[in-house]
Amino acid sequence: MTAAAPPPPLLEARGLCKTFGGGLSGPAVRAVDDVTLIVRRGETVALVGESGSGKSTFGRLLNGLIVPDAGEVRFDDGAARGRTQAARRALSRKVQMVFQDPMASLNPRHRIAETLSRPLFLHGLADSRAQARDRAAELLEEVGIAQDALDRFPHEFSGGQRQRIGIARALSVGPECLICDEPVSALDVSVQAQIVGLLETLKSRHGLAQLFIAHDLALVRKIADRVAVMYRGRIVEEGPAAALFAAPAHPYTRALLDAVPRIGCPARPLPIGTTAQGAETGCNFAPRCPRATGICCTQRPRLEGLTQPTHLAACHHPLSDPVAAPDGAEGQERVRRIAAFGAALAQKKLH
Amino acid sequence: MRTLVKPSSKLAKNTSVAVSVDGLSIDVPGPTGFRRVVDAISFEIPKGRVLGLVGESGSGKSLTGMALNGLLPMSGARISGGRVHLSGRDVTAYRDRDWRPLRGQVVSMVFQDPLMSLNPVHRVGRQIAEALRVHKGLGRTAAWDGAVAMLDAVGVPEAAARARFFPHQLSGGMRQRVGIAMALACGPDLLIADEPTTALDVTIQAQILELIDRMRRETGAAVLFISHDLSVVSQVADEVAVIYAGRIVESGPTATVFAAPEHPYTIGLLGSMPDLSLPDAPLVAIPGAVPHADAMPDGCRFAPRCPYATKECRVGRPLMRNLGGGHAAACLYVPVSPS
């Protein structure tokens, strides 16, 4: 830990709630239930959770794509508060989104130049078509796409290229924070690392803060400064990535980590059940939790600091023992070969 | 340890081999006529063993799985070369009516999304029972009891009650258990699992992987486990075959291949995905993209993306080289010299 004070919050969600359904469409689902999260300038915060945990809804609430039932989003200490159209537009200029499936998020009938120019006109960042086109060309270069792409359509590109274009569009309005919602999970494995590398480069070049929504914990460990784990609409654990991965405090986080397949490690059977319904009162995870006691079913645990004040968990019975450090001995030769492959690539400049 | 890649003319008669594929090629129709998307691949799986077939989208891994179940005509594709033997019988030229008695009994399939393979208007128990009635000639009651027992065996809690559920009433993990129960109901020699956990959450995935492993031990079925995810394959497969652009580029015992990968594509693929156990391992990105079936490069198909490629790599198909212990790789420059 350095003595320097942490940078001020850039994007701040306070007590966000969002409920879907109710009425004729079936029982109401509390997709996001009183979530507070801060993203600081230049920081990558990963939001992890399984499908249905509410992580994507939270991302959409953050940049104003949907309006919360309760709570507020503050940008740069109040610069973009409120629920008016103008406030939402100001927020969307500073907080941009990168979506999972670029085929679904790029308009198939617009040429790339059009797709990249629209946000510029919308936010008054370009005066003429020529100016917008020049800016679009710059953006494509930044994300590693050839200039002739400007006059082509999304279907003419591979998945990885489309995702680069989606990132270029997000960058077009000069955001300070990117919300990346599963940006690589629809891509081929060999292309995922390219996109992750691009996001890392952009982060350091522009000092971009990132909220990285993902279910791939191995990837999150590689790129995140801080991690928040979501379960059924609530954050159950949050902390610096190193601390959280070394000693997960919430039984759900531990179960999640244990379930991730690792090369060379035999799968560990899970102690948790599969009960679908959440609890009415108390901890949402209690019905599946091996450590649950009476209090877990009656009293909702608060997200509180543990031994480190920056490492929070919402659990009545947090775990304190660190997970066994990976021995990794038999992975050494693999790592050596991967490193040699990477070095050879760098030498050949195939990138 | 049985070597994966070898001519299988003799082995085809060996009934301990559930499936043997020898030089299989598959063509699919395209705008300019048929094009080859699976190019002379060979492997075999003994009973009770799991072969992981790993590749990216467009590698031909799913078509290979479909060829072993007689489902190719559904996509307009056709076998254009090689031989497929299932439990000793040559099924290469089988038509749909020849396949029918085999499906379920000799070979069956588990799909990525069981919602697609289950009939939404029938109770899940009835769907399993139907297979038992058709293939095993069981009566109505016996088949229903068999279906409930099968659901119980794959770990569906309160199986008797759940058998009366419709597919949409079950969670994704439960549906996949039903899919596995249905596939295994008639005791096939070979189970083809095509990305069976890709649509599932990670905690559910671990349970399904454990189930597949347990079922192959209990039933003795061979499993062809098709996936793009190396770490998932490493959990279940005894042996692994890595397929790139329609060709197997490396194969061998899972532990050997992952501990000391030889083919540059395997190395790059492993480098592209972070491993939770090795947080300090570098993340390397393979440049470029998987070649399109219309524009396959000459020579080694990975050469345009390979940092080690030379002029020689651009001419002729590199043959599988035996590296000992059942490990083989199709690269001119293997084995990698330890430095």
Side-chain angles (χ1 to χ4, degrees):
Chain A
M1 281 271 116
T2 50
L10 180 70
L11 184 62
E12 200 174 354
R14 289 247 163 257
L16 282 188
C17 293
K18 183 71 189 176
T19 303
F20 291 116
L24 291 176
S25 59
V29 177
R30 294 189 137 186
V32 174
D33 189 3
D34 192 13
V35 172
T36 296
L37 189 68
I38 287 169
V39 181
R40 295 195 164 83
R41 211 170 274 281
E43 178 186 50
T44 298
V45 178
L47 187 61
V48 301
E50 297 181 282
S51 54
S53 62
K55 56 191 196 300
S56 288
T57 304
F58 181 71
R60 279 152 200 263
L61 286 170
L62 269 188
N63 89 330
L65 279 177
I66 48 179
V67 180
D69 298 334
E72 64 169 1
V73 178
R74 293 166 68 112
F75 184 80
D76 212 3
D77 208 19
R81 288 179 62 184
R83 297 186 192 174
T84 63
Q85 181 81 31
R88 281 221 296 281
R89 183 166 292 188
L91 181 66
S92 80
R93 161 124 194 245
K94 291 297 174 191
V95 183
Q96 275 288 312
M97 202 132 180
V98 176
F99 296 92
Q100 174 176 2
D101 180 0
M103 198 61 209
S105 57
L106 298 176
N107 190 325
R109 296 171 62 173
H110 285 176
R111 294 179 199 275
I112 303 307
E114 170 78 7
T115 292
L116 295 179
S117 306
R118 281 221 162 177
L120 298 174
F121 288 121
L122 190 70
H123 289 281
L125 299 171
D127 301 321
S128 65
R129 295 217 146 262
Q131 197 188 355
R133 198 180 161 86
D134 287 349
R135 177 80 182 115
E138 277 172 39
L139 289 163
L140 285 182
E141 189 178 349
E142 173 139 40
V143 298
I145 298 278
Q147 300 296 305
D148 62 350
L150 282 172
D151 293 311
R152 291 159 70 190
F153 290 96
H155 74 264
E156 298 178 62
F157 298 91
S158 70
Q161 288 172 319
R162 280 200 287 266
Q163 193 57 291
R164 287 173 190 267
I165 293 165
I167 292 169
R169 178 180 58 183
L171 290 177
S172 63
V173 296
E176 292 175 47
C177 181
L178 282 188
I179 297 175
C180 305
D181 189 357
E182 301 271 13
V184 300
S185 57
L187 305 176
D188 270 329
V189 179
S190 73
V191 179
Q192 287 184 3
Q194 293 175 11
I195 298 299
V196 170
L198 174 64
L199 288 169
E200 294 278 89
T201 308
L202 294 171
K203 177 190 169 184
S204 55
R205 194 184 296 161
H206 299 285
L208 279 174
Q210 282 178 17
L211 180 72
F212 198 95
I213 299 170
H215 68 275
D216 183 344
L217 289 155
L219 175 60
V220 162
R221 176 162 209 178
K222 257 324 308 147
I223 59 167
D225 302 311
R226 230 149 35 85
V227 179
V229 182
M230 228 171 151
Y231 184 75
R232 288 186 186 282
R234 295 179 194 161
I235 289 179
V236 296
E237 183 164 2
E238 182 195 328
L244 188 136
F245 280 107
H250 198 285
Y252 176 65
T253 312
R254 172 65 69 93
L256 211 53
L257 279 174
D258 280 351
V260 175
R262 303 160 195 236
I263 290 169
C265 296
R268 276 164 285 189
L270 287 168
I272 63 169
T274 54
T275 316
Q277 64 269 24
E280 267 301 298
T281 57
C283 173
N284 273 337
F285 187 60
R288 295 175 75 183
C289 184
R291 294 167 72 89
T293 57
I295 187 176
C296 300
C297 302
T298 54
Q299 199 182 324
R300 178 170 165 177
R302 289 183 28 211
L303 194 60
E304 288 172 327
L306 305 160
T307 44
Q308 262 189 65
T310 51
H311 187 177
L312 316 171
C315 182
H316 293 300
H317 312 292
L319 301 151
S320 53
D321 52 321
V323 291
D327 105 48
E330 56 103 35
Q332 287 317 308
E333 178 59 19
R334 169 161 41 103
V335 172
R336 198 189 64 73
R337 291 182 183 195
I338 291 170
F341 181 87
L345 277 179
Q347 215 172 19
K348 271 218 160 183
K349 293 205 175 66
L350 277 162
H351 285 289
Chain B
M1 190 71 58
R2 201 177 282 278
T3 310
L4 275 165
V5 181
K6 64 165 75 165
S8 60
S9 50
K10 276 166 279 163
L11 295 160
K13 287 166 197 103
N14 183 348
T15 47
S16 75
V17 176
V19 61
S20 140
V21 171
D22 186 18
L24 175 70
S25 293
I26 300 173
D27 289 4
V28 297
T32 54
F34 277 87
R35 52 199 186 186
R36 184 150 299 183
V37 290
V38 172
D39 189 16
I41 65 168
S42 303
F43 60 83
E44 59 176 49
I45 317 176
K47 280 187 184 154
R49 307 286 288 176
V50 181
L51 171 68
L53 187 60
V54 190
E56 298 180 88
S57 54
S59 61
K61 61 189 193 303
S62 288
L63 280 172
T64 303
M66 288 166 85
L68 303 189
N69 202 9
L71 291 174
L72 279 185
M74 285 181 70
S75 54
R78 65 180 188 202
I79 292 179
S80 54
R83 293 263 153 239
V84 177
H85 287 84
L86 285 179
S87 298
R89 77 195 84 185
D90 186 343
V91 297
T92 317
Y94 270 28
R95 292 151 166 254
D96 194 54
R97 65 160 185 270
D98 305 319
W99 275 106
R100 281 186 178 211
L102 264 56
R103 294 197 190 116
Q105 302 231 74
V106 175
V107 57
S108 62
M109 195 145 179
V110 175
F111 298 89
Q112 175 173 341
D113 184 359
L115 255 196
M116 305 283 280
S117 51
L118 292 169
N119 189 328
V121 300
H122 288 166
R123 299 177 196 279
V124 295
R126 174 178 161 174
Q127 301 188 46
I128 302 169
E130 185 186 357
L132 291 168
R133 295 182 67 190
V134 170
H135 291 296
K136 298 264 175 185
L138 295 185
R140 201 176 285 270
T141 320
W144 181 266
D145 292 345
V148 172
M150 204 62 221
L151 286 174
D152 193 49
V154 297
V156 173
E158 296 156 43
R162 294 277 163 84
R164 303 193 57 78
F165 279 28
F166 292 97
H168 75 270
Q169 293 173 295
L170 297 166
S171 67
M174 278 301 148
R175 278 201 292 268
Q176 196 55 287
R177 284 179 194 268
V178 171
I180 292 169
M182 196 157 72
L184 293 176
C186 299
D189 299 327
L190 172 67
L191 177 70
I192 301 164
D194 191 354
E195 303 267 9
T197 64
T198 306
L200 303 175
D201 279 325
V202 64
T203 52
I204 308 301
Q205 166 173 281
Q207 295 169 6
I208 296 295
L209 293 179
E210 204 193 3
L211 172 65
I212 290 176
D213 188 53
R214 179 163 65 81
M215 294 315 284
R216 66 97 178 231
R217 274 187 274 112
E218 286 175 10
T219 67
V223 181
L224 178 66
F225 192 98
I226 300 171
S227 179
H228 70 281
D229 190 330
L230 293 158
S231 51
V232 167
V233 166
S234 80
Q235 298 293 302
V236 289
D238 302 302
E239 309 208 346
V240 59
V242 180
I243 184 168
Y244 182 77
R247 293 175 180 168
I248 289 178
V249 297
E250 181 161 5
S251 63
T254 306
T256 313
V257 171
F258 286 141
E262 290 282 354
H263 197 283
Y265 175 63
T266 314
I267 297 171
L269 204 56
L270 284 162
S272 306
M273 50 184 302
D275 186 345
L276 210 44
S277 294
L278 300 168
D280 302 325
L283 195 60
V284 300
I286 308 176
V290 178
H292 196 263
D294 288 327
M296 284 298 177
D298 291 334
C300 171
R301 289 177 171 174
F302 187 61
R305 304 175 74 187
C306 179
Y308 303 118
T310 60
K311 272 204 309 272
E312 288 72 28
C313 297
R314 311 281 181 155
V315 210
R317 175 180 183 160
L319 297 173
M320 280 297 239
R321 294 185 175 205
N322 200 333
L323 303 165
H327 191 185
C331 174
L332 296 179
Y333 298 108
V334 296
V336 175
S337 58
S339 57

